[in-house]
Amino acid sequence: MTHVPDTLLERLLEARKKHHLPSQVRPLAQAFAPQLLGVLFPHFAASVVCSEDAVTEDVIELGESLARLERSIATLHETMPEKLVERFLAALPEVHARLEEDARAIFDGDPAARSIDEVILTYPGFYALALYRLAHALHRLGLPLLPRLLTEHAHEKTGIDIHPAATIGRRFCIDHGTGIVIGETCVIGDDVKLYQGVTLGAVTVEKALADKKRHPTLEDGVIIYAGATILGGGTVVGKNSIVAGNAFLTVSVPPNSIVSRRSEVRPRSTTATLEELDWVI
Amino acid sequence: MTHVPDTLLERLLEARKKHHLPSQVRPLAQAFAPQLLGVLFPHFAASVVCSEDAVTEDVIELGESLARLERSIATLHETMPEKLVERFLAALPEVHARLEEDARAIFDGDPAARSIDEVILTYPGFYALALYRLAHALHRLGLPLLPRLLTEHAHEKTGIDIHPAATIGRRFCIDHGTGIVIGETCVIGDDVKLYQGVTLGAVTVEKALADKKRHPTLEDGVIIYAGATILGGGTVVGKNSIVAGNAFLTVSVPPNSIVSRRSEVRPRSTTATLEELDWVI
Amino acid sequence: MTHVPDTLLERLLEARKKHHLPSQVRPLAQAFAPQLLGVLFPHFAASVVCSEDAVTEDVIELGESLARLERSIATLHETMPEKLVERFLAALPEVHARLEEDARAIFDGDPAARSIDEVILTYPGFYALALYRLAHALHRLGLPLLPRLLTEHAHEKTGIDIHPAATIGRRFCIDHGTGIVIGETCVIGDDVKLYQGVTLGAVTVEKALADKKRHPTLEDGVIIYAGATILGGGTVVGKNSIVAGNAFLTVSVPPNSIVSRRSEVRPRSTTATLEELDWVI
Amino acid sequence: MTHVPDTLLERLLEARKKHHLPSQVRPLAQAFAPQLLGVLFPHFAASVVCSEDAVTEDVIELGESLARLERSIATLHETMPEKLVERFLAALPEVHARLEEDARAIFDGDPAARSIDEVILTYPGFYALALYRLAHALHRLGLPLLPRLLTEHAHEKTGIDIHPAATIGRRFCIDHGTGIVIGETCVIGDDVKLYQGVTLGAVTVEKALADKKRHPTLEDGVIIYAGATILGGGTVVGKNSIVAGNAFLTVSVPPNSIVSRRSEVRPRSTTATLEELDWVI
Amino acid sequence: MTHVPDTLLERLLEARKKHHLPSQVRPLAQAFAPQLLGVLFPHFAASVVCSEDAVTEDVIELGESLARLERSIATLHETMPEKLVERFLAALPEVHARLEEDARAIFDGDPAARSIDEVILTYPGFYALALYRLAHALHRLGLPLLPRLLTEHAHEKTGIDIHPAATIGRRFCIDHGTGIVIGETCVIGDDVKLYQGVTLGAVTVEKALADKKRHPTLEDGVIIYAGATILGGGTVVGKNSIVAGNAFLTVSVPPNSIVSRRSEVRPRSTTATLEELDWVI
Amino acid sequence: MTHVPDTLLERLLEARKKHHLPSQVRPLAQAFAPQLLGVLFPHFAASVVCSEDAVTEDVIELGESLARLERSIATLHETMPEKLVERFLAALPEVHARLEEDARAIFDGDPAARSIDEVILTYPGFYALALYRLAHALHRLGLPLLPRLLTEHAHEKTGIDIHPAATIGRRFCIDHGTGIVIGETCVIGDDVKLYQGVTLGAVTVEKALADKKRHPTLEDGVIIYAGATILGGGTVVGKNSIVAGNAFLTVSVPPNSIVSRRSEVRPRSTTATLEELDWVI
């Protein structure tokens, strides 16, 4: 029979003892995300019954799941929001309306989309945005931990990482989306569009700056193409500006700017071996 | 007991009523993807029995799954392809042969690969390519929706997003792959290799342009290094060209080109605080 | 009843016959990864019992799972490591200590992190690093295939692709992380930090170079911002250097360097249509 | 593709339309039974945490499950009990105390039992009795349908069929139990013991008699051996009587009776073939 | 590591080699039973959608499951029925009508039943009868093995064991049911009622008699109370006869008979210890 | 939110604290039963691979499961058997041989059986006997608790309750089987056959008699028909005797006896209402 080394035993036992998170939080949060989406959008539900009773039942169960998560998290945090479930349900119609508007905006801006239903069903950008908007509502009500677990769930599914505390305006479009990062203190206006691989991040990472604005601001109508990296809490991309693919920006630009740097093109020596590539690219 | 706000009830009920997609399409498609791969490549099957009966049974069940998806989708689309299952099965030997060729090419081009079996089993690039080639076959037979759900499944698993309508030649290699986007009207030749984070995307996003070529063309033998972004329907990267990492390209380049822009290097003030970084990087 | 074409039947039968991997390896590896993490970090366990018996039981079962994987893989590889389970268990305390140190370093460097438990529970960077360190330990003990399956599992979950043979120092920080690639022969010092989308890759891909160093070296204290691509086995980024976002680097730089190229900013013609964008960005 | 006959289609569609039971009632009830037992007896729980928080959480979730069943059933029945969950939880301590007493009585009366824990864990008689006592509590609170589903669940698991409306005294023992039937209007005193295959049933089955006492009464201390059948609403088995195996009784007997009929024994012709058995047994 | 004894290895290997049944038959049959019931009676379905499309889909999938079972069984049996699926679907409306009639008869005959829906949902007698009637239809179409697996599934769930080849008339009632056995060559008329524990069995068990009638005949209107045992192929219980509880019968009785033997009652010595019971009961 | 009564909380907390069984024992035992059967008889395995490697792997995992159960049970019992796994594996070939012999005997004695495979696959009598013989082997090796859990599992599935400590000879046949009870100290010879509903039980139930023989002895070649009840530790049914259906026996009978009592037959008043039945049957 396997021998278990004493040092391992001690270390693992100690790790369990000093561990404070209730063990159910993670699986509960991972079950809550699809439940929440399935209630709001029938596209994500396993079966769809169109009766008031069925909808009511689904919402009640949603409330119960949230209450259970709340109780788990409360073992960790001293102050918890009052009447969380009630206020969250009251906030849902507004969030739902915003997401329908977002889905329409994505549809309008993508020639490849055939219907709004297809956008909701298959676009990872919509999936991540939906979980962000819901997590943001919970964050605003003062619930800790769960908002982050919800957006991290979306991150795992889609590669899109939006911090639940970020501020994002109406009709927000994400296309493809893998690799997008939107930091905690970002402020994003209306009608903004991001392509995959865009970072809206921080430069400075001093723990002491936790309460400062560390991430950029994008004003209304900005478009950021794939792979652009924009850093810094003071960086403001002015209204209707366009940031080209793979741009790197750490300073503010005025409205109606174009930020870009195209690569250079030169002939390749066809006799060079691949080994020599280090020197030429 | 939880109170369900009336506005929420009305909104959700309405959402269900106007929702047209049959609720089973999504889970069926997500089950179909691994079933399809498991039939073609034993690496993805839970158990492997080497008898004609077992293979026949697996193919019959594959056909049944496809037929069921077809019936679900048919509730939504007026015109559906004739004899879909039959024609799809007939197309499989060709797709399978292509994928074996792809796997060999990936193996030949990656010093880290130890065997072709390892490539098939563990390379996300192969996984995404396999689902693309199968989805593309279904797309060519005229089936709507399912091809997109299959490639979106691969996108979720691998971070590689290939539109099922794209055209991709033989011996196509993807290395690592996270963040790759290949748009709907891309045309890619033979022996092309892409690294992670490469975008082959569109610039213009007018809905009216849905039928125009909006994404680039890569000719035979092109290599694109990590993070390069290439945009535009008229952009052609000529034969055997090399696009370096993080390049940004929106114009055509002739055969045997090198596209690149190295970053600048300068000394860092070691006395500068991290806060000052905004100004220097 | 569905007709199964003969060519398909033959092809699939042949594929099964020439397939050498035991069919259980993949699902076993995918179950092993969370089991391993759950034993080491209660955050990932479904239920946590704080008794010596419970810990011992969990470790014994972990050993059994590893032994089973070992037996499966042994049907494929001629030489296998001696006393694998025993030596792996003996190595775990060291790996666990390293990972606790990593978690603390991530916490210290991220103003958004509220506790070390939150880092372990929700940060994909920690998840990928943990599986890398464990896979690396197995790789060093000489076990083939499984290390790669473990890091590929992390890649699928997080978009972070670290080769199990790479060498990575202490207090390694990954933030966000989607799109990171760290190649097989990378050497990374202590206190290094990488942001999302960073590639540490190879240029030359000749099969014959499998035993050569093909990926860069990062010395102690280096920071690489989002989207930077650094290629080549001879490329050394000197101590305490900073590589800015979207930088592209294929040559060595001395200690205390800054590598960067900001994009250009110019005004946008507000009368230009989106169609004209190709020409201006 | 399979042809679906029109008559079948019509018939099944009609069956669905006239069906009134909410489709979730059955699976909900089947999940409620083990949940209920698991809360009351850790022997049936998958994991056991000994903290007030954990117990409280389990009880709250039990209440939620009951509330959901109540809502489902309410779509069918006009009048439903007030404050069901609250009153049921208030009744549980008494039921739990009774069941602990029952378990002790079974243990005391069975030489083969090694511990009370073993009785609770492995005796089908205890399992069926526990679900009966819980179902009976719900029945007394006025909840329709669910009590019957709970005892039917126990029937399926154990072969013991106790109607939830039956009246059963303290320290009730069932040994083995398969085939026991205890009818709706049975009245059973304290310290009664039943062996497997005992029927306490009705003779007359007129629908009009639904409100009459149709099943027997067993006074305190009665023992009924395996396979006895006792029928009739007026049949009273007096205090401390013993009914022998396979007895058949449809009349009352005074206290301290023995009810029995031994079989006759005669020699068997060893030359008779098995075929001749019809004539001799 | 566990040592596997050679004799065990050889024995198990040999057992696998001489085993002829396709390994999937058992799980397929166990999944087919609830699928079949769920299609015919919404009470057993997880979700109920009242549209022609949904019904059609369910029937098509039912046909596919049956076809798959047929293919599995065909690897074992030389002659298989023609057009099995088609003929079975064509037979279903008749079976469904019979079962609705049965459910009504059970309801009419049981004062404890509150509605026909409750009978279908909760009565094990109905469950076993439904699977018998369906298995009998398959048996008559000439399909081997599956009918037996279906009734054995019902046996496991309900303790009621009806051979699929038995002949049973209309409006057949089973109450409670545990322990009922109805043999292969039984012939049962209309309006017959059986209580739990009734055996309709064979006496002679010579293999050579496989084609002879070995089990009793019950004419119309017969009632058999709990625990009665009736044996023999020539035994006929005449019209409207009543067989009392625990009766034992191996000869025929004319119409309007009562078959019974009540037990004797005598006083119990209250001074006798339980140990002396052997001598008195 | 649900209020949890204090008395309930206290009671449940106390119940958990005084509960000694490791919570995993029950689910582990329920998973062990089918695993064990699946290794010995391919009929019960989900997939069957005919290679030495596959068999070896299955046996090793079986040993691991048993070892885990052993460790769980050891937290409860002071003395545990030495080398349990090793000795149990060594005992398996003998048990397997016995069970094959049993299956053949059942086949030979049942005209309805079409093949030995069918007997193994579908006969509950074989299922219960197989688990009894395996549990008996574990019991003889001195392992507590698990043998009882295994036979209780069989009891739940088949309604056949055989105590693991009973002694049963070769070629033992059970037909149908529901309701059979075979007590702890029964001794059964070779070539015995039991029908459903047979009890071989105890009369006296004094706890003090736990070590005495309390259940009957059946000598070689005895046949017991359905529903017979035979009680008492001193009761011996002599060689080749036949006990008829529903017989009740508490005394010994010599070899070649027939034990029987047929019921009486008399005419039924066809004018009597069903209500008057109490008086006549």
Side-chain angles (χ1 to χ4, degrees), chain C residues 27-51:
Chain C
L28 287 176
Q30 279 176 348
F32 183 66
Q35 185 186 9
L36 184 49
L37 288 176
V39 167
L40 293 186
F41 296 97
H43 314 67
F44 301 110
S47 80
V48 179
V49 181
C50 284
S51 72

Side-chain angles (χ1 to χ4, degrees), chain E residues 58-72:
Chain E
D58 289 350
V59 175
I60 289 173
E61 287 175 25
L62 188 69
E64 288 173 353
S65 296
L66 180 54
R68 181 167 181 198
L69 272 158
E70 198 190 356
R71 293 192 298 270
S72 281

